[in-house]
Amino acid sequence: GLECLSRGAGRVIFVERDRSALEGLRNNIRALGVEQICDVLAADAYHAGLLLSEKLGGRRLGLAFIDPPYAHMETPQGRNRVDNLVDMAAKLMEPGSLMVLRHPATVSLEGMALHGRSVRELQYGSMAITWLRAEAGVK
């Protein structure tokens, strides 16, 4: 999110539940002087749909970076949770905008619903990044 701000994003909403990560994030936001254009939701991303919707106030997301714990991608139950997370994000997205999913390079996304069309996937060591384009009309 902070990288997006450095590249011209007008506003960023962070969702994080880990206390130490929240503290570091808030410190970085303060150090950069971008408090006025950052919202930090201390919540579990899997259950943040309503909070995000309220924070957006009728606006839509232009980019979503989805970075679930790697362990969540390794079991059918976890992959289903990630599918639901991507579905939730897609419902908040501007049609045609991008969702970026970070996952282990060893885990195939085949068979996942993903509610978006895969545009590109790159691997960086043990990590893969898959770009998905949000479909028009996802409700």
Side-chain angles (χ1 to χ4, degrees):
L2 295 173
E3 178 68 20
C4 289
L5 288 175
S6 77
R7 294 175 182 263
R11 183 158 209 80
V12 175
I13 301 172
F14 297 91
V15 179
E16 178 60 62
R17 73 175 188 174
D18 182 80
R19 286 185 183 187
S20 64
L22 277 166
E23 182 180 346
L25 174 60
R26 289 181 173 130
N27 288 339
N28 287 336
I29 289 170
R30 261 190 307 280
L32 294 171
V34 293
E35 300 94 333
Q36 298 302 316
I37 54 176
C38 292
D39 290 301
V40 179
L41 303 179
D44 183 327
Y46 291 111
H47 305 290
L50 183 58
L51 289 172
L52 280 167
S53 185
E54 289 172 358
K55 190 58 72 178
L56 288 167
R59 293 171 290 153
R60 310 293 270 170
L61 295 172
L63 175 68
F65 185 74
I66 302 166
D67 185 14
Y70 277 9
H72 294 193
M73 298 293 291
E74 296 172 354
T75 67
Q77 179 183 8
R79 289 166 61 95
N80 186 54
R81 290 183 75 199
V82 173
D83 263 341
N84 291 336
L85 181 61
V86 171
D87 185 39
M88 178 188 66
K91 291 174 182 174
L92 298 170
M93 304 291 297
E94 197 62 52
S97 56
L98 290 176
M99 295 179 281
V100 180
L101 177 62
R102 182 173 171 238
H103 57 92
T106 57
V107 173
S108 168
L109 299 182
E110 218 169 291
M112 292 182 71
L114 295 180
H115 303 282
R117 183 174 50 90
S118 179
V119 176
R120 183 178 190 189
E121 183 176 316
L122 294 175
Q123 292 186 13
Y124 304 95
S126 63
M127 174 184 69
I129 304 272
T130 299
W131 285 265
L132 304 164
R133 188 155 315 276
E135 297 173 333
V138 173
K139 302 252 189 246

